[in-house]
Amino acid sequence: MQALNEKRTALLEQPVLSQISDLREAYREIGQDLLKLLRFLDTNATGIRKILKKFDKRMGYTFTDYYVSTRSDHPYSQLQQVFKDVGIKAVAGALSRNLTDVQGQHGSYLSIYDDPSIVLKDPVIDLIDAAVDKLTHSTNFLHFLGNHALIISDEISSSEDHPDDGSYQFISLLLNLANTFLYMVNTYIIVPTADDYSVSLGAAATVCGIIIGSNAVAQVFSSIYFSSWSNKSYYKPLVFSSIMLLIGNTLYALAYDFNSLAVLLMGRLLCGLGSARAVNRRYINDCVPVKIRFKASAGFVSASALGMACGPALAALLQVKFKMHAITINQNTLPGWVMAFAWLFYLLWLWFSFKEPSRVDEGNHQNLNTGFEVGEDAWQC
């Protein structure tokens, strides 16, 4: 490109038609090479999505979560080369401009029967623009949110990958997003007061790291059994999650009156074991129609981010202290009580409003092996 640009600059000063024609053909050859690269990237992106999704469905374990989360931001990951296409777009833009300039100097052979002053776009530019648009569409903002939510899209046109509107209910999707929001609030609402709470129970302030981290450790185990459970139901895991979080937050609040660090830690472990984020993602991926799936994925990430922000902010508002019979209400225990009542309200809402979607029939399950072979073919490409 650099060598051809120098040649183009010289020809603009002293135009020679034969050399301009050769220059245009040279730019076209670069365009064809760029098209091959763009199609190669698109094939890899599609192949990765299909392989991961088919692997998850075949093995009954959400391996995609681990794969994408460990490689999406890793500096040595080749996955970055598939989804980071800014440099390619810059090359495509420069090539389009140069081809247009050269064609403007030479005249368009496509318009010999039309007005000679009209310069038509070279066909290779249209092909490049279409390829760039296709790659951009697969990595746009909503896809970016979807990928970071670990909800991987697919392009396989089958009934299991494209649920109809009959298996989807908006209130059920809203309940999944509410679960995500409340869980993130639950996770971060204790951060401002965890050190004071541990000190008040006779532990060192550094123990707050264990209290906060125990939630994440328990979440590792919950993601396994919730992923497996969601193969059979979405409603029951959400009910179980709400009950676990209700009990966990109650124990967290009562630890102050029990003067027990063990009760405090047990409460946070139960909160982590109640993490149903794997179910929330699975519901969006399996039950939400394709036309709004990426919007739902964006809503999942937005709900998570909003919960992370609201948790500490809500803790700052809970600066009260009083006793209610034998129960102490203060800045340390109130986050637990607030979240316990929030999960109780959510459980009642879930009980009356959630609609269990229709499950995939057995015939579709028998086709998983064929679908996995499609993923293998995509990988080989």
Side-chain angles (χ1 to χ4, degrees):
M1 283 281 290
Q2 184 177 357
L4 292 179
N5 288 343
E6 294 175 357
K7 188 175 181 179
R8 181 179 64 85
T9 302
L11 286 175
L12 289 177
E13 297 176 357
Q14 296 181 350
V16 179
L17 287 181
S18 60
Q19 293 183 12
I20 291 178
S21 179
D22 293 339
L23 181 62
R24 183 176 61 186
E25 293 302 320
Y27 275 126
R28 283 178 179 160
E29 291 180 4
I30 295 179
Q32 294 295 335
D33 289 339
L34 185 60
L35 275 173
K36 293 178 182 178
L37 180 58
L38 288 168
R39 289 165 180 166
F40 178 77
L41 285 175
D42 184 70
T43 300
N44 274 273
T46 302
I48 289 172
R49 291 197 303 268
K50 290 184 177 181
I51 290 166
L52 290 173
K53 187 170 183 178
K54 288 302 174 184
F55 184 88
D56 288 349
K57 290 185 176 181
R58 183 180 178 89
M59 304 303 294
Y61 174 74
T62 314
F63 176 74
T64 298
D65 292 12
Y66 169 78
Y67 184 85
V68 177
S69 62
T70 56
R71 287 162 175 78
S72 59
D73 295 318
H74 197 281
Y76 302 116
S77 173
Q78 295 185 7
L79 196 63
Q80 295 268 13
Q81 300 175 22
V82 177
F83 292 103
K84 303 285 187 180
D85 57 353
V86 178
I88 293 178
K89 292 177 185 177
V91 175
L95 182 63
S96 298
R97 289 193 301 272
N98 292 334
L99 259 173
T100 301
D101 291 342
V102 171
Q103 187 164 298
Q105 290 292 323
H106 186 268
S108 174
Y109 69 93
L110 295 173
S111 59
I112 55 176
Y113 298 109
D114 300 319
D115 187 349
S117 63
I118 298 177
V119 179
L120 298 182
K121 185 182 292 186
D122 194 285
V124 73
I125 296 180
D126 289 327
L127 293 174
I128 292 173
D129 289 343
V132 171
D133 288 342
K134 188 173 186 295
L135 192 60
T136 301
H137 178 70
S138 67
T139 55
N140 63 13
F141 180 67
L142 291 181
H143 282 258
F144 174 81
L145 291 178
N147 286 336
H148 279 259
L150 309 180
I151 302 168
I152 307 300
S153 67
D154 206 339
E155 298 175 357
I156 302 176
S157 56
S158 66
S159 59
E160 61 174 349
D161 291 327
H162 300 280
D164 56 18
D165 294 341
S167 64
Y168 159 75
Q169 187 187 37
F170 175 75
I171 192 66
S172 299
L173 172 61
L174 189 61
L175 281 163
N176 273 277
L177 297 180
N179 183 282
T180 298
F181 170 75
L182 285 177
Y183 183 78
M184 296 309 293
V185 173
N186 203 124
T187 301
Y188 289 94
I189 194 173
I190 70 160
V191 172
T193 58
D195 53 348
D196 290 337
Y197 203 170
S198 59
V199 170
S200 68
L201 297 178
T206 53
V207 176
C208 74
I210 299 177
I211 297 172
I212 297 173
S214 61
N215 187 85
V217 172
Q219 188 177 347
V220 173
F221 298 97
S222 69
S223 63
I224 297 175
Y225 62 77
F226 273 124
S227 296
S228 177
W229 201 351
S230 62
N231 289 327
K232 300 179 180 179
S233 173
Y234 299 102
Y235 172 70
K236 292 179 181 179
L238 290 177
V239 171
F240 178 78
S241 166
S242 303
I243 294 174
M244 292 286 284
L245 285 156
L246 174 59
I247 297 173
N249 281 288
T250 303
L251 289 177
Y252 181 85
L254 290 174
Y256 187 89
D257 293 306
F258 287 145
N259 194 27
S260 172
L261 188 64
V263 173
L264 181 71
L265 187 60
M266 179 61 67
R268 291 305 292 176
L269 284 171
L270 288 179
C271 288
L273 291 174
S275 171
R277 288 170 62 81
V279 180
N280 305 145
R281 289 192 295 264
R282 180 75 178 270
Y283 181 86
I284 293 174
N285 190 55
D286 290 352
C287 302
V288 176
V290 176
K291 59 184 178 182
I292 62 170
R293 185 178 299 167
F294 291 119
K295 292 182 180 179
S297 303
F300 175 88
V301 177
S302 299
S304 299
L306 186 61
M308 293 171 62
C310 290
L314 182 59
L317 301 176
L318 304 179
Q319 303 297 315
V320 296
K321 186 175 182 179
F322 61 92
K323 286 187 73 74
M324 182 180 295
H325 300 291
I327 298 176
T328 303
I329 306 295
N330 58 24
Q331 64 177 7
N332 296 326
T333 63
L334 196 52
W337 289 121
V338 169
M339 294 311 305
F341 281 108
W343 285 111
L344 178 60
F345 173 79
Y346 175 82
L347 182 59
L348 295 174
W349 184 22
L350 183 73
W351 185 276
F352 291 105
S353 302
F354 190 87
K355 177 183 177 183
E356 183 75 77
S358 58
R359 308 302 298 181
V360 180
D361 58 30
E362 295 298 327
N364 284 337
H365 283 296
Q366 294 175 359
N367 291 331
L368 289 180
N369 187 42
T370 303
F372 187 73
E373 292 174 356
V374 172
E376 291 178 331
D377 293 339
W379 179 262
Q380 291 173 358
C381 292

